[in-house]
Amino acid sequence: MAVATQLSTLPSVTALPELPTRLHQHEKRAASQNSAPAIGLLKNCKTLNEVSQLHCYIIKAGLSGRSFAVANIVSACTDLATPGSLAYAQKVFEQYVDEEEDVDDGSLFVYNSLIRGYSQVGLSQSAVSVHVQMVENGLVPDKYTFPFLLSACTKMNGFEEGLQVHGAAVKTSLDGDVYVQNSLIHFYFECGDVADGQKVFDGMPDRNVVSWTSLICGYARRENPRKAVSLFFDMVDSGIRPNSVTMVCIISACSKLQDLSLGERVCAYINSLGLKLNTHMVNATVDMYMKCGAFGTAKLIFDGCEERSLVLYNTVMSNYAREGMAKEAIDTLNEMLSGEGPRPDRVTLLSAISACAHLNELVLGKSCHAYALRNEMQGWESILNATIDMYMKCGETGLACKVFERMPNRTTVSWNSLVAGYINNSDLESAQKIFQEMPERDLFSWNTMIGALVQVSSFEEAIELFRTMQREGIKPDRVTLVSVASACGYLGALGLAKWVHRYMIENQIHCDIKLSTAMVDMFGRCGDPQSAMLVFNNMKERDVSAWTAAIGAMAMEGNGRRAMELFREMIAEGVKPDEVLFVGLLTALSHGGMVEEGWSIFKSMEETYGISPSIVHCGCMVDLLGRAGMLEQALDFIKGMQSEPNDVIWAALLSACRKHNNLEMASYAAERLDKLNPYKSGISVLLSNIYASEGKWSDVAKVRLQMKEKGIQKRPGSSTVEISGRIHEFTSGDEFHSEMRHITGMLDEINCRLRDAGHEPDLKAVLLDVDEENKELLLSRHSEKLAIAYGLISTSHKMPIRVVKNLRICSDCHAFAKLVTAIYDREIIIRDNSRFHFFSQGLCSCGDYW
């Protein structure tokens, strides 16, 4: 039977049966002078109705005023732990207090029973109130009162109240009682006062297993599992035999440490003690093995259990769901429903719904939702939030919204689930709308939206949203900074990039491998390889992604030799390269003109590292050979490829043909490209530019007519420059910037000084059929020149000017930037769509090889 069908056939929760007939028979037989059996039956009651009937019997027997009877009635009610049973207990208690004249030990027992009952069900304030009433009536608390009171203070996080209880225990000289001391240890640790908890333990002359267990569990719960394990072995060495609670606690500590070896040592110790494994110990052991990744061992223990509790099923399912093993989670649910297993509860459903979301199991997900509705679980926010997430991941945004709209209490998690769901369904507009409507946004909300904007390349919007987040007082974490670092890198915003790095250090945000790698990549893309390598060299751990980012930074700089050195260092450290790393390395070698090294690395991929070169690696090799002017070898390489060359391969060859003015091969490559991707704008533009550079205007017109017929539009050239943390964008021929009058004045000055220095504009860079005067004017208004001019008038002397160009820099702009650095004594860094160019003192880092 399918899981969905099994869920639908489960009945709703029904009332428990009434008091058995045996109680009525007992009532007839019992004599008034012998009511002890009836009072003894109180502890077996399962419903309030049963307690009430026995209470009637006790009243008829004339024993309702006896403290022993009242205490047992109160105890039975508190054991049931329902609002009705506690109200009944309070009523019985109040009647007893009103009628009681003499205070005796029996009265103390009644008070203690009610305090215990309120404490057990979490009505801590009521427990404290009963204690106050007890003291006012002249009763002195005993060693049983204080543990119950401290438990109540712990549950309501009443640190001040607990301190008063501790003081009262000192005044009554009960602070030396081992039971009171054990309760004090538990209270202090649960309230976060580790020092006082340890102080109580250290001052105990006699410590039993509960004392040690309270201390061990305290450290384990306060996120210090290693200390808990150390104390456990101290306890064993002192000759104290652990009990099942100790073992559950120490196994859970091993789970938190994810230390399988230590966990197995503890399990071996349990076996050597001959301790009988109860359900709590089995559950903790299975959880430990699963959290340590030993799923096979955990499954063997689970399968070997004759009696599997609901908690055990939930432990197995939740661990499977957390580790992404959704199928195994569903299989466990199926097994649970197939036999005589327990009924699923809300914890079961959370794991099941999560697994359905992971597997896109809409039918089963709907069945889980229906089961929750039938069994009145729709009031649990966690269930509804998981259901929203499940419907979103299954593509049912409408159903997700219906669940959301019918929620009685929408938490921030609910809103976040909706926002993340729209993003996963590629509906950024709806996600932004919901984000703006949110009554309250937490860090996850901001991280989700910033990350989404980065994913769709809306980098400026991502940065602006990050600034808004800061204005609203939300402190970013490392997840935020990874997204912001990525945006900074793509924008080339070095000023903001440095601020992000400084913010991370000053606010002591934990910089793990992922964030450090993002920082290396950010600085590399922003044209600051020195800072990139500084971050990289300070990393304590470096995986292949970190090495890839460092090699990528060298590739952007065109420093092939340093890229090779980094590769050798990585291999020496035992890090295995992957496919992505070889792309970055081959790119660096290509930009550095290192053909022999490139061939060597390409061959070693399969021969040495067992990585078959992909189409991307082949494209790198074509680019390497083409840049070096080895066009025939590049074409032979393409023809010898095992897989069919794609448009990227032919585009790399076409680009090389333009650089080396090979019209014949360019036409050949363009034909292949047109068949593979006839609507790709860059191909037609590149071919048109090749014809234009050779003055073949009829061929240019033919290509541009074809572009028009296909609806292809040329992407306009644009450049950005960062000034005082703000990004300013220019397009070629731009006339709309607010400072354009000053920019054109600066350009005129630059051109005069360049002419005086003997510079002649490279009119071949103008790819339009116009006269030379117009060519010179068009050339002077290229976007990178506008950005450089604006940088000169907007920054102080000696301040580097950083420009990001969306297309490849032309030969005239390259020569222009070199001369500007010499004449104005300024550094200029230009990142085009291929690499960085570092201009200084009339030279470029590329050595005119790009």
Side-chain angles (χ1 to χ4, degrees):
M1 187 185 294
V3 178
T5 308
Q6 292 168 331
L7 278 172
S8 64
T9 57
L10 283 175
S12 302
V13 179
T14 55
L16 294 172
E18 295 294 326
L19 177 70
T21 308
R22 59 186 175 83
L23 292 177
H24 297 287
Q25 294 171 344
H26 177 83
E27 180 182 2
K28 293 177 182 178
R29 293 197 308 266
S32 62
Q33 67 270 24
N34 187 15
S35 61
I39 295 173
L41 282 172
L42 281 166
K43 65 175 179 288
N44 298 323
C45 291
K46 303 298 182 186
T47 67
L48 181 58
N49 192 32
E50 293 177 359
V51 175
S52 177
Q53 291 181 55
L54 276 177
H55 187 196
C56 290
Y57 178 81
I58 292 169
I59 292 172
K60 288 178 183 178
L63 300 172
S64 59
R66 299 286 181 88
S67 59
F68 178 75
V70 173
N72 277 276
I73 293 169
V74 170
S75 180
C77 289
T78 55
D79 284 341
L80 294 176
T82 65
S85 68
L86 286 171
Y88 193 91
Q90 181 70 33
K91 197 170 183 180
V92 171
F93 170 77
E94 289 171 354
Q95 185 176 0
Y96 169 76
V97 171
D98 290 341
E99 295 175 356
E100 183 69 11
E101 296 180 0
D102 298 324
V103 174
D104 56 16
D105 291 341
S107 300
L108 182 60
F109 181 45
V110 173
Y111 276 100
N112 282 346
S113 296
L114 193 59
I115 292 171
R116 176 178 65 87
Y118 279 131
S119 176
Q120 280 180 338
V121 298
L123 295 173
S124 304
Q125 198 60 56
S126 297
V128 173
S129 298
V130 173
H131 170 254
V132 171
Q133 184 180 352
M134 180 183 80
V135 174
E136 288 175 347
N137 287 340
L139 282 171
V140 179
D142 64 4
K143 65 180 181 180
Y144 300 107
T145 313
F146 289 119
F148 299 149
L149 265 178
L150 287 167
S151 175
C153 293
T154 301
K155 288 179 180 176
M156 70 178 186
N157 201 24
F159 185 69
E160 294 300 324
E161 292 87 344
L163 286 178
Q164 293 178 37
V165 173
H166 191 178
V170 172
K171 288 179 181 178
T172 55
S173 300
L174 288 172
D175 60 312
D177 181 82
V178 67
Y179 299 107
V180 175
Q181 288 174 322
N182 291 342
S183 298
L184 283 168
I185 294 169
H186 178 72
F187 160 73
Y188 279 121
F189 269 95
E190 286 300 302
C191 289
D193 190 348
V194 175
D196 278 333
Q198 182 71 55
K199 187 176 179 180
V200 173
F201 179 83
D202 293 339
M204 293 178 71
D206 299 308
R207 302 163 184 159
N208 60 17
V209 65
V210 179
S211 315
W212 282 96
T213 301
S214 298
L215 190 69
I216 290 167
C217 291
Y219 276 109
R221 291 194 186 102
R222 300 311 300 177
E223 303 304 323
N224 197 346
R226 200 164 295 283
K227 174 73 172 176
V229 172
S230 175
L231 285 167
F232 170 76
F233 287 112
D234 288 345
M235 180 188 77
V236 172
D237 292 340
S238 68
I240 301 292
R241 179 186 171 93
N243 60 19
S244 60
V245 179
T246 324
M247 300 313 300
V248 168
C249 186
I250 204 64
I251 293 169
S252 298
C254 295
S255 298
K256 289 183 178 179
L257 291 169
Q258 296 186 345
D259 190 331
L260 181 59
S261 175
L262 183 61
E264 289 176 335
R265 278 178 60 198
V266 171
C267 290
Y269 179 74
I270 294 174
N271 292 333
S272 70
L273 289 177
L275 280 175
K276 185 179 180 182
L277 290 177
N278 59 28
T279 55
H280 299 294
M281 292 172 69
V282 171
N283 182 65
T285 304
V286 169
D287 184 61
M288 182 272 293
Y289 277 114
M290 295 189 87
K291 283 193 168 64
C292 291
F295 291 96
T297 306
K299 187 72 166 63
L300 284 173
I301 298 172
F302 176 76
D303 291 341
C305 288
E306 294 181 3
E307 296 182 11
R308 299 172 191 165
S309 67
L310 177 61
V311 175
L312 182 58
Y313 272 108
N314 287 343
T315 296
V316 172
M317 285 185 63
S318 62
N319 274 289
Y320 276 141
R322 190 188 66 254
E323 293 298 321
M325 302 170 71
K327 184 179 181 300
E328 288 79 359
I330 297 300
D331 289 343
T332 305
L333 177 64
N334 190 17
E335 183 181 329
M336 176 181 175
L337 298 174
S338 297
E340 297 296 322
R343 292 177 60 88
D345 66 355
R346 64 188 180 93
V347 180
T348 321
L349 282 190
L350 273 175
S351 298
I353 294 170
S354 175
C356 292
H358 189 83
L359 295 171
N360 291 328
E361 275 281 357
L362 181 60
V363 174
L364 180 56
K366 283 183 175 180
S367 297
C368 291
H369 186 198
Y371 179 86
L373 292 173
R374 288 199 311 275
N375 290 276
E376 299 182 351
M377 294 182 188
Q378 67 270 27
W380 294 101
E381 293 162 1
S382 55
I383 292 286
L384 296 177
N385 292 335
T387 304
I388 292 170
D389 179 66
M390 180 270 295
Y391 281 133
M392 280 293 190
K393 285 179 178 172
C394 291
E396 294 288 341
T397 56
L399 289 175
C401 287
K402 282 184 179 179
V403 174
F404 177 80
E405 288 163 2
R406 292 173 183 174
M407 287 183 74
N409 298 307
R410 299 170 189 164
T411 63
T412 306
V413 176
S414 314
W415 288 89
N416 286 340
S417 299
L418 211 59
V419 171
Y422 276 123
I423 289 169
N424 291 333
N425 283 281
S426 303
D427 189 353
L428 186 60
E429 184 179 346
S430 296
Q432 288 177 306
K433 182 175 179 292
I434 296 296
F435 179 79
Q436 295 300 329
E437 292 174 0
M438 289 180 72
E440 187 177 338
R441 293 178 287 218
D442 61 9
L443 180 59
F444 182 85
S445 317
W446 291 96
N447 284 347
T448 302
M449 278 310 306
I450 292 171
L453 290 168
V454 171
Q455 283 180 0
V456 298
S457 300
S458 296
F459 304 117
E460 291 184 26
E461 285 185 62
I463 296 296
E464 189 55 43
L465 190 61
F466 174 63
R467 290 195 175 104
T468 305
M469 170 185 170
Q470 289 180 286
R471 285 194 294 270
E472 294 195 11
I474 304 296
K475 185 178 179 181
D477 64 358
R478 62 179 182 270
V479 176
T480 324
L481 295 186
V482 167
S483 295
V484 174
S486 179
C488 290
Y490 280 100
L491 288 173
L494 182 62
L496 184 58
K498 287 185 174 180
W499 180 90
V500 169
H501 185 243
R502 187 168 59 252
Y503 181 92
M504 179 192 74
I505 295 170
E506 290 175 354
N507 289 273
Q508 298 180 338
I509 294 175
H510 174 60
C511 196
D512 56 9
I513 292 181
K514 187 173 182 180
L515 180 53
S516 296
T517 301
M519 291 288 166
V520 174
D521 184 65
M522 172 186 73
F523 280 124
R525 290 180 181 274
C526 288
D528 189 355
Q530 290 79 17
S531 295
M533 293 311 300
L534 185 63
V535 174
F536 178 77
N537 292 330
N538 286 332
M539 290 177 69
K540 293 179 181 178
E541 292 182 67
R542 295 180 288 207
D543 60 6
V544 67
S545 297
W547 287 97
T548 301
I551 289 172
M554 296 301 101
M556 291 295 285
E557 187 187 17
N559 193 342
R561 301 210 174 276
R562 180 59 183 139
M564 276 299 297
E565 289 173 5
L566 285 169
F567 177 73
R568 294 190 187 103
E569 289 173 22
M570 182 192 77
I571 298 301
E573 289 190 14
V575 178
K576 187 178 179 181
D578 62 6
E579 295 88 345
V580 181
L581 183 135
F582 279 113
V583 172
L585 182 57
L586 288 170
T587 301
L589 297 175
S590 175
H591 289 171
M594 301 170 67
V595 177
E596 290 185 16
E597 291 85 349
W599 269 119
S600 176
I601 288 296
F602 183 79
K603 290 175 181 176
S604 72
M605 284 180 62
E606 193 159 17
E607 294 174 1
T608 307
Y609 304 105
I611 298 173
S612 298
S614 69
I615 199 80
V616 180
H617 300 112
C618 293
C620 291
M621 284 304 298
V622 173
D623 184 65
L624 172 75
L625 296 168
R627 282 177 187 269
M630 304 167 69
L631 298 181
E632 292 295 336
Q633 291 92 324
L635 184 58
D636 290 341
F637 179 87
I638 294 172
K639 291 178 178 178
M641 285 173 57
Q642 294 181 355
S643 56
E644 191 67 25
N646 63 6
D647 56 338
V648 176
I649 300 291
W650 290 111
L653 182 63
L654 183 61
S655 180
C657 290
R658 183 197 173 185
K659 176 179 173 61
H660 298 287
N661 299 318
N662 191 323
L663 282 176
E664 183 180 351
M665 192 176 291
S667 299
Y668 176 78
E671 286 177 20
R672 300 296 181 278
L673 276 166
D674 192 54
K675 290 178 181 178
L676 291 168
N677 196 343
Y679 296 99
K680 189 172 182 179
S681 62
I683 298 163
S684 300
V685 171
L686 189 56
L687 184 60
S688 170
N689 291 346
I690 293 171
Y691 286 138
S693 63
E694 293 299 312
K696 295 184 176 292
W697 301 112
S698 59
D699 291 324
V700 171
K702 182 179 177 182
V703 172
R704 290 184 178 171
L705 180 61
Q706 291 173 349
M707 289 173 65
K708 187 175 181 179
E709 290 172 349
K710 294 176 182 177
I712 298 173
Q713 291 187 340
K714 180 183 177 181
R715 184 172 52 157
S718 68
S719 297
T720 59
V721 60
E722 184 185 6
I723 306 294
S724 301
R726 291 287 173 181
I727 307 296
H728 297 263
E729 184 174 9
F730 298 89
T731 56
S732 293
D734 199 340
E735 297 289 343
F736 301 105
H737 195 277
S738 59
E739 298 288 325
M740 188 52 66
R741 185 168 62 85
H742 301 292
I743 293 170
T744 54
M746 187 71 224
L747 274 175
D748 290 339
E749 179 193 315
I750 294 171
N751 288 325
C752 285
R753 296 187 67 174
L754 260 58
R755 275 195 296 269
D756 292 342
H759 173 65
E760 289 290 334
D762 183 7
L763 299 182
K764 284 188 176 181
V766 180
L767 306 174
L768 295 172
D769 187 15
V770 294
D771 59 45
E772 292 198 357
E773 185 178 345
N774 279 326
K775 281 186 178 182
E776 192 167 341
L777 177 63
L778 291 168
L779 202 58
S780 69
R781 295 297 186 267
H782 275 193
S783 63
E784 52 265 67
K785 291 178 179 176
L786 293 170
I788 290 170
Y790 184 60
L792 286 170
I793 64 173
S794 303
T795 58
S796 59
H797 188 58
K798 296 292 185 183
M799 178 81 67
I801 298 169
R802 297 177 176 274
V803 176
V804 178
K805 175 76 184 285
N806 69 332
L807 303 175
R808 183 175 175 175
I809 187 172
C810 74
S811 57
D812 186 72
C813 289
H814 193 270
F816 176 91
K818 286 198 297 183
L819 285 169
V820 168
T821 61
I823 293 169
Y824 288 88
D825 193 22
R826 298 287 289 271
E827 289 185 6
I828 297 175
I829 299 98
I830 297 180
R831 189 186 86 184
D832 65 9
N833 66 350
S834 177
R835 59 169 294 164
F836 271 98
H837 297 267
F838 296 87
F839 298 97
S840 179
Q841 298 298 315
L843 299 173
C844 180
S845 60
C846 73
D848 297 336
Y849 183 88
W850 86 98

